[in-house]
Amino acid sequence: MALKIWLGNKLVDEQDAKISVFDHGLLYGDGVFEGIRVYNKRVFELEAHIDRLYDSAKGIRLDIPMSRQHLIDAVHKTVEANNIGNGYIRLIITRGVGSLGLNPFTCETPAIVIIADNIQLYPEELYEKGMKIISATTVRNHPLAIPPQIKSMNYLNNILAKIEALDYEVPEAIMYNHEGFVAEATGDNVFTVRKGVVYTPPAEAGGLEGITREIVIRIAKKEGFEVVEKNLTRFDLYISDEVFLTGTAAEVIGIVEIDGRVIGDGRPGPVTRRFREKFFRYAHGKEK
Ligand code: PMP
């Protein structure tokens, strides 16, 4: 079935949802975006995603030409128009149409695009068995170059690491920062569990401040775990009892091997499983 896409200030048919070749989103990856889930017809953590979108936009000096409330309404209208019960929303703000040069101030109106569709998830089997991953040699963007908190349309840094993962026939790769500490995975945040304590790199390590990460930290504390935000090395990952990733698409997924080192007993551990279950219940509105 053809989708209805939000473009600018209205819904249009999928075949009419077109962006100019002069849009700086295409020419330079100049723009910001969010990926958001819909669970049981509820848009999950929409406020948090909208906050991050406006922060990202501020970071690149892009004025979103729509109020927060109007944008929230547009997201809901797009979800309803496509009758999405469980799915995924891609909310994109490009710099807009401008001249061929870099100058973003030649672009008059940022384009607003909202796509609501079904999502291609990791197969359930992967959650049961856990994921094997590798360390990428591609270093995560230096925060003084492109702050990783900005969720920009330019994902080449992550894509280069993703290619490394795919070359090794695994779905994900850990990205390290310029100092060698874990930053994040190509599209997810990283957690470890060792001796009953939960660890995750601090925001300063250079990862995106994930919304799923925040929720999992909250769940972990509620479950009585100590959560420590601390720099982690490659070796710290290898010797962890459990490693798991968090993200809007992946939710909570256990890691069972990194660079040929088996993590724990080679299966997703009890803490990972518990957090996945708790996250599921929270996302589906079954638990606060
Ligand atoms: N890091 C990167 C690079 C990402 O693209 C994502 C997914 N948006 C995440 C982490 C996880 O963030 P969230 O939980 O907000 O989806």
Side-chain angles (χ1 to χ4, degrees):
M1 199 191 72
L3 295 175
K4 293 278 187 192
I5 310 288
W6 188 279
L7 184 61
N9 56 12
K10 61 177 186 299
L11 286 161
V12 299
D13 289 332
E14 185 179 326
Q15 67 268 23
D16 300 323
K18 293 186 178 141
I19 293 275
S20 164
V21 293
F22 290 99
D23 192 302
H24 280 211
L26 176 69
L27 291 174
Y28 297 112
D30 187 352
V32 293
F33 78 99
E34 283 295 321
I36 310 167
R37 286 293 278 276
V38 182
Y39 293 109
N40 303 341
K41 290 188 185 280
R42 285 169 47 243
V43 182
F44 186 57
E45 302 290 311
L46 182 55
E47 293 268 335
H49 283 283
I50 295 287
D51 283 348
R52 189 169 67 186
L53 183 76
Y54 276 83
D55 287 348
S56 293
K58 187 171 194 179
I60 68 165
R61 285 192 60 189
L62 189 161
D63 289 325
I64 298 176
M66 198 182 261
S67 71
R68 290 171 53 95
Q69 191 53 53
H70 201 145
L71 196 53
I72 286 171
D73 293 345
V75 168
H76 287 304
K77 280 181 193 158
T78 311
V79 169
E80 279 158 27
N82 293 288
N83 201 18
I84 304 289
N86 288 285
Y88 181 84
I89 302 161
R90 177 55 60 92
L91 169 53
I92 308 159
I93 317 284
T94 77
R95 185 74 70 177
V97 172
S99 66
L100 274 181
L102 280 176
N103 185 351
F105 305 122
T106 65
C107 305
E108 269 185 18
T109 315
I112 299 174
V113 178
I114 307 172
I115 307 166
D117 201 355
N118 294 311
I119 183 173
Q120 188 73 41
L121 292 171
Y122 288 132
E124 189 54 37
E125 197 196 358
L126 204 52
Y127 290 93
E128 288 301 320
K129 285 191 171 164
M131 205 191 255
K132 296 179 181 181
I133 60 173
I134 57 144
S135 292
T137 60
T138 303
V139 168
R140 188 74 180 102
N141 284 334
H142 192 295
L144 293 178
I146 301 177
Q149 291 108 312
I150 295 175
K151 198 164 167 59
S152 92
M153 286 174 63
N154 195 318
Y155 252 53
L156 269 181
N157 182 221
N158 311 57
I159 288 167
L160 291 179
K162 181 88 175 180
I163 289 170
E164 292 186 55
L166 297 174
D167 280 346
Y168 280 91
E169 296 179 353
V170 295
E172 258 292 2
I174 301 282
M175 300 186 76
Y176 298 84
N177 65 22
H178 57 284
E179 290 178 312
F181 294 116
V182 175
E184 60 183 337
T186 70
D188 298 300
N189 291 110
V190 180
F191 284 79
T192 69
V193 184
R194 185 163 155 86
K195 297 191 165 92
V197 178
V198 175
Y199 297 93
T200 191
E204 309 86 81
L208 182 75
E209 290 179 45
I211 288 163
T212 319
R213 173 183 182 273
E214 269 314 303
I215 295 167
V216 168
I217 289 174
R218 224 162 52 216
I219 289 172
K221 288 180 177 166
K222 219 171 139 199
E223 291 289 295
F225 285 90
E226 184 188 351
V227 180
V228 180
E229 295 191 36
K230 128 183 195 319
N231 276 322
L232 300 170
T233 65
R234 190 176 298 219
F235 185 69
D236 291 329
L237 299 184
Y238 296 161
I239 61 166
S240 293
D241 300 325
E242 300 185 34
V243 175
F244 61 88
L245 306 182
T246 66
T248 291
E251 301 173 329
V252 177
I253 189 159
I255 300 302
V256 293
E257 193 179 304
I258 306 176
D259 305 331
R261 278 78 166 180
V262 173
I263 306 301
D265 67 359
R267 285 174 304 178
V271 179
T272 304
R273 287 174 181 275
R274 181 146 186 85
F275 290 175
R276 172 156 180 77
E277 165 73 15
K278 287 278 166 189
F279 179 81
F280 181 92
R281 293 184 60 78
Y282 175 74
H284 288 80
K286 291 182 181 162
E287 221 168 273
K288 286 218 179 286

